[in-house]
Amino acid sequence: MENEPLIDTALKTELSALYKAEDRHYHNLAHIEAMLALATDYRASLGDPEAVEAAIWFHDAIYDSKAKDNEARSAALAEKELVGRMDAGRLGRISAMILATATHELPRFDDAAATRDGSLFLDMDLSILGAAPDAFDAYERAVRSEYGWVEEPMWRAGRGAVLTGFLARPHIFHTQEFRQRFEPQARLNLARSLAALQKPS
């Protein structure tokens, strides 16, 4: 058991099928692959890289733009699929990371390495906010497509509140590395997007 990867080929295939659903325009396999690439970049900084990889694979496994419990359901799926592959403490950390993507506030972990892993994981999930303007704009359009059922005035109000919330934080990113790499551009992108949402239609 010890030498088997947490996310084996069978599980990757099963999860990939979920991420390939037609109604996923941003929360899809490309998003997972982008996060996995960042996890590779920062692997030396991770205490438990395999647990972070597992959290990446599962964190958007359940995604319904009309639901409010996607993170809880994704965490429950991770617990169901990964039970028996690791001890309860490790599984609990993976679950806590997934649940934290609901607010992007850092959960309380019992040790510094887990806190660091959770911080980097959440920052990887939000790295798109600090992407080049054209990539960020494509992300915004993709998220709008996922919420195609929401009427424009409601969308502008709801999305505006989300962007305002991020801009109001002292830091969008939890780690020094991501603040240096992504924070300035993220603030520019969010402010630009917010201004567009607030323009009279």
Side-chain angles (χ1 to χ4, degrees):
M1 283 301 284
E2 282 302 303
N3 295 324
E4 289 179 19
L6 291 185
I7 307 292
D8 57 26
T9 305
L11 206 43
K12 279 183 185 173
T13 303
E14 187 183 321
L15 290 167
S16 294
L18 295 175
Y19 286 109
K20 287 175 182 170
E22 280 184 12
D23 58 348
R24 291 177 181 250
H25 302 277
Y26 173 70
H27 294 90
N28 54 23
L29 204 52
H31 170 52
I32 300 307
E33 287 167 349
M35 285 184 70
L36 291 171
L38 283 168
T40 300
D41 287 351
Y42 291 94
R43 191 175 179 91
S45 300
L46 295 171
D48 188 349
E50 282 218 305
V52 171
E53 184 181 328
I56 289 170
W57 269 105
F58 277 100
H59 82 287
D60 284 327
I62 307 296
Y63 185 76
D64 172 1
S65 66
K66 294 182 179 178
K68 300 272 190 235
D69 61 348
N70 290 317
E71 296 83 8
R73 288 168 64 206
S74 294
L77 181 67
E79 288 171 11
K80 176 171 150 294
E81 295 281 2
L82 297 175
V83 70
R85 297 189 187 212
M86 66 189 80
D87 64 73
R90 195 180 190 202
L91 186 51
R93 289 193 296 276
I94 291 170
S95 183
M97 283 191 271
I98 296 167
L99 289 169
T101 60
T103 60
H104 280 92
E105 287 167 13
L106 192 62
R108 295 180 85 85
F109 288 107
D110 50 8
D111 68 75
T115 301
R116 171 105 173 118
D117 284 359
S119 301
L120 282 163
F121 164 74
L122 290 174
D123 284 357
M124 290 170 198
D125 192 29
L126 288 186
S127 62
I128 187 65
L129 299 183
D134 56 345
F136 175 82
D137 291 346
Y139 150 74
E140 286 281 85
R141 288 193 298 274
V143 173
R144 180 67 181 106
S145 296
E146 290 180 340
Y147 285 84
W149 54 275
V150 178
E151 291 183 18
E152 189 66 16
M154 289 291 292
W155 168 257
R156 285 173 176 244
R159 187 65 178 170
V162 170
L163 301 185
T164 301
F166 278 123
L167 282 168
R169 295 183 180 199
H171 300 286
I172 294 168
F173 297 99
H174 295 282
T175 64
Q176 202 56 46
E177 297 95 315
F178 276 73
R179 285 175 195 166
Q180 287 176 346
R181 184 172 172 183
F182 293 112
E183 184 102 14
Q185 187 61 49
R187 290 195 175 273
L188 291 172
N189 287 337
L190 292 170
R192 185 167 50 80
S193 190
L194 188 58
L197 288 168
Q198 291 170 342
K199 270 187 195 154
S201 49

